[in-house]
Amino acid sequence: TPIAPFVFPGLRSRVIFGAGTIARTGAEVERLGRSRALVLSTPNQEADAHALADRLGPLSAGVFTEAAMHTPVEVTEKALAVFSGSGADCVVALGGGSTTGLGKAIATRTGTDQVVIPTTYAGSEMTDILGETAGGEKTTRRDASILPETVIYDVDLTLTLPVGMTVTSGLNALAHAAEALYAEDRNPVIALMSAEAIRALAEALPAVVRDPSDVEARSLAQYGAWLCGIALGGSAMALHHKLCHTLGGSFGTPHAETHAILLPHTVGFNAGAAAGLLEPVAKAFGDTPGRGLFRFARDLGSPMRLADFGLTEADLDRAAEIATRNPYSNPRPFDRQQIRSLLQDALEGRQPP
Ligand code: NAD
């Protein structure tokens, strides 16, 4: 097959991968030419954040543990006050996408460096994208100052990720790879990474569900999630991410769960128009891409119905309207009626085509 012209955005962050690598945080802060790190976390991971600050010793400027989903600007403002009050000159974000988001929000306002230590599979650490909420509205932007400088993937920190969150966060990661395969601006390097990511997660997630303390399987899952993050940062996302953004932003549905429920439906919807491109999905999960993903998610015990998160048919009327208001690229053209019907299937947990 001929190689179509493409743009590859490059690999732009330093990555340290492996068990026990959290011990290298101090050295990585110093490598950036920084000497006082504000450690960030959510309230849930407060103990881990304090342990990391203790480990950093004089390189720690303190701890801020109020990171929250969707990066509310009020939290960012409070964190900025702590950041400048403590004399910090960089941030270390320890946690999932919510904590990474706070680090990005501080970095883009101050120009500081970020070291991110991800503990979920969300992939935000590999992107220059920041979503923030103010007055109930979520806005998203891209900027070079948002991309973290250094990322430390220490598998040991993922061992405590509960099985339910492991599954939904893993499916969230898979969504990045799936949409990268058919992205309008796709390129062969990210396609390779996406196919490898799908292979890794298809093998790793069932193994982690069987034994959440299986370090090898956890490592493979984290490796896959890393590649998915690169795919997300380097590609224009389509219908799937647009719908998840609408449901999360306007109806407050939880991030990873929304991705997990919608993925078989959105990929199923696009499968006919992107059949060749979605081959890695068909290869990993069998059947059609939509049905294969549906069965994979169900067998992992993933939530399958939007109705279980309080969404109603009236919400879906509005969601379909919001999600089709502005045009964006997608392999299969669609109208409001088709999106409404896709959402109905996801509401009820019906098997996609
Ligand atoms: P999260 O960061 O909100 O984490 C969910 C909960 O799990 C938190 O309470 C957290 O403390 C806890 N947790 C995380 N890791 C844990 C672990 N290993 N053990 C025990 N508990 C753990 O969830 P998320 O799905 O990682 O992130 C979602 C947020 O990230 C959303 O706001 C989303 O918009 C954003 N996001 C942004 C991008 C981007 O590129 N900008 C990409 C993906 C996600």
Side-chain angles (χ1 to χ4, degrees):
T1 26
I3 308 279
F6 65 87
V7 173
F8 176 61
L11 297 173
R12 296 164 290 176
S13 29
R14 175 175 163 86
V15 169
I16 321 290
F17 188 98
T21 47
I22 194 172
R24 289 165 61 174
T25 309
E28 290 301 323
V29 165
E30 288 179 322
R31 193 174 187 278
L32 290 167
R34 306 289 183 169
S35 56
R36 285 183 66 74
L38 181 65
V39 178
L40 309 174
S41 76
T42 65
N44 247 331
Q45 289 171 292
E46 188 173 354
D48 290 339
H50 281 285
L52 177 57
D54 289 348
R55 190 197 275 270
L56 287 172
L59 289 172
S60 165
V63 175
F64 181 85
T65 61
E66 296 172 44
M69 187 89 79
H70 306 309
T71 332
V73 288
E74 313 84 71
V75 174
T76 299
E77 275 155 19
K78 202 167 163 193
L80 279 169
V82 173
F83 182 81
S84 48
S86 66
D89 63 6
C90 66
V91 293
V92 173
L94 173 71
S98 297
T99 306
T100 304
L102 177 60
K104 288 174 161 182
I106 295 173
T108 193
R109 286 167 174 78
T110 60
T112 196
D113 288 336
Q114 310 165 62
V115 175
V116 182
I117 309 175
T119 64
T120 69
Y121 306 131
S124 175
E125 66 282 356
M126 283 293 132
T127 81
D128 58 359
I129 308 164
L130 171 62
E132 298 183 283
T133 44
E137 292 259 325
K138 186 166 179 176
T139 52
T140 300
R141 62 197 157 107
R142 292 187 98 121
D143 189 80
S145 65
I146 292 169
L147 185 77
E149 279 67 24
T150 304
V151 179
I152 299 177
Y153 288 104
D154 185 339
V155 65
D156 295 346
L157 301 172
T158 65
L159 296 174
T160 53
L161 191 64
V163 169
M165 179 79 190
T166 298
V167 167
T168 53
S169 195
L171 290 164
N172 179 192
L174 274 174
H176 310 329
E179 289 226 300
L181 287 174
Y182 58 55
E184 182 188 41
D185 59 353
R186 61 188 175 271
N187 69 67
V189 181
I190 290 197
L192 268 176
M193 290 177 161
S194 299
E196 169 71 349
I198 290 165
R199 183 203 66 77
L201 284 164
E203 181 183 333
L205 292 179
V208 174
V209 169
R210 278 192 298 274
D211 177 7
S213 66
D214 179 342
V215 177
E216 260 179 46
R218 286 277 189 191
S219 235
L220 188 62
Q222 198 174 28
Y223 164 69
W226 165 41
L227 297 174
C228 290
I230 297 174
L232 174 67
S235 323
M237 295 286 122
L239 178 67
H240 174 80
H241 283 75
K242 178 73 180 176
L243 283 182
C244 290
H245 183 91
T246 301
L247 293 181
S250 303
F251 301 92
T253 60
H255 177 83
E257 290 84 343
T258 307
H259 275 272
I261 294 171
L262 283 184
L263 183 63
H265 301 281
T266 49
V267 169
F269 182 84
N270 280 329
L277 299 171
L278 281 169
E279 200 156 307
V281 174
K283 194 169 160 206
F285 304 109
D287 209 332
T288 64
R291 284 201 300 262
L293 279 167
F294 185 82
R295 200 171 309 126
F296 181 69
R298 197 185 50 201
D299 292 350
L300 292 174
S302 180
M304 304 303 287
R305 292 161 20 103
L306 289 176
D308 295 339
F309 292 89
L311 285 180
T312 63
E313 302 211 2
D315 292 336
L316 297 191
D317 292 341
R318 202 153 69 81
E321 195 270 309
I322 298 171
T324 51
R325 215 181 268 163
N326 302 310
Y328 50 91
S329 75
N330 190 63
R332 177 176 165 192
F334 55 83
D335 60 25
R336 186 153 59 88
Q337 209 46 48
Q338 288 169 309
I339 297 312
R340 179 63 185 83
S341 141
L342 181 162
L343 288 171
Q344 187 68 30
D345 287 348
L347 187 79
E348 299 174 21
R350 268 205 295 262
Q351 178 170 275

